[in-house]
Amino acid sequence: MSKLEQAIVAIVEVFEEYAGKDDKKSQLSKAELSELIQSQLSNGAFKDKVAPENIKEVMDDLDKNHDGEVNFGEFSKYVACLAKGFYKKKHGDDKDKPRRNK
Amino acid sequence: MSKLEQAIVAIVEVFEEYAGKDDKKSQLSKAELSELIQSQLSNGAFKDKVAPENIKEVMDDLDKNHDGEVNFGEFSKYVACLAKGFYKKKHGDDKDKPRRNK
């Protein structure tokens, strides 16, 4: 498997691990999401992204269909946002860079 | 680093690797995207997702700001879609499952 495929499989496996704790295996409850964030995003690069006190905010933001749960589609978009934040932190925001003409 | 953090870092690194081939290091050109897809998504689970002939379609779909390039934000959303497709393939579409009442 390639590096990108392994990353995608890992994202699915992390979701399955935490969503599988209660009987609704295909959804993250608020408690499961909170546990996932605290244990999987404790590294400095991500920690400021999600301070424990604003997990409710993250939950409301993710839970697009407002069923009080986060499904995999909502979770994968969240991971995409985290990745974007990480990339920007690493490279500085594109807007900071002078536009190079083609 | 946690499993999720490693996956996020890997997604950033794959983008950097392929976007870095020309002078616009923060964007994937069509050629770079095509090379990334063919070498990073050749595994069975993803292969049907992106047949080489519809890479133009993927490019048009990703290139939301129509600058002919794919930036990291657009790429990370694409990865989120791939992950969602992989999850659905693995678990069958949620809609197939009977709704359990709370």
Side-chain angles (χ1 to χ4, degrees), chain A residues 15 22 24 26-30 32-33 58-75, chain B residues 94 99-102:
Chain A
F15 178 86
D22 64 6
K24 295 187 86 174
S26 62
Q27 312 263 14
L28 280 170
S29 65
K30 199 173 153 204
E32 289 167 337
L33 175 66
V58 172
M59 185 79 188
D60 293 345
D61 199 33
L62 295 191
D63 182 18
K64 300 285 185 223
N65 58 7
H66 308 298
D67 61 357
E69 308 264 349
V70 173
N71 62 34
F72 184 78
E74 294 161 339
F75 177 69
Chain B
D94 272 3
R99 281 257 133 219
R100 265 168 302 165
N101 304 339
K102 277 204 177 157

Side-chain angles (χ1 to χ4, degrees), chain A residues 79-94:
Chain A
V79 173
C81 290
L82 287 171
K84 194 174 165 186
F86 180 79
Y87 180 86
K88 281 191 170 173
K89 205 169 189 177
K90 190 175 175 185
H91 292 271
D93 202 336
D94 272 5

Side-chain angles (χ1 to χ4, degrees), chain A residues 2-3 13 16 40 43 91, chain B residues 2-3 13 16 40 91:
Chain A
S2 73
K3 190 172 185 174
E13 286 172 350
E16 288 168 340
Q40 290 287 321
N43 178 289
H91 292 271
Chain B
S2 72
K3 190 172 186 174
E13 287 173 349
E16 288 168 339
Q40 290 286 320
H91 292 273

Side-chain angles (χ1 to χ4, degrees), chain B residues 2-60:
Chain B
S2 72
K3 190 172 186 174
L4 186 58
E5 287 160 347
Q6 285 172 36
I8 289 172
V9 169
I11 292 166
V12 169
E13 287 173 349
V14 166
F15 178 86
E16 288 168 339
E17 182 189 334
Y18 289 85
K21 293 179 189 257
D22 65 6
D23 65 340
K24 294 189 86 174
K25 307 288 182 209
S26 63
Q27 313 263 14
L28 281 170
S29 65
K30 199 175 155 199
E32 289 167 336
L33 176 66
S34 175
E35 195 181 334
L36 184 155
I37 288 173
Q38 277 165 30
S39 52
Q40 290 286 320
L41 296 169
S42 56
N43 177 289
F46 300 96
K47 207 164 187 183
D48 59 342
K49 286 274 150 298
V50 191
E53 63 273 11
N54 56 26
I55 289 197
K56 186 187 176 309
E57 223 177 283
V58 173
M59 185 77 189
D60 294 345

Side-chain angles (χ1 to χ4, degrees), chain B residues 54-70:
Chain B
N54 56 26
I55 289 197
K56 186 187 176 309
E57 223 177 283
V58 173
M59 185 77 189
D60 294 345
D61 201 31
L62 296 190
D63 182 18
K64 299 285 185 222
N65 59 6
H66 308 299
D67 62 356
E69 308 264 347
V70 173

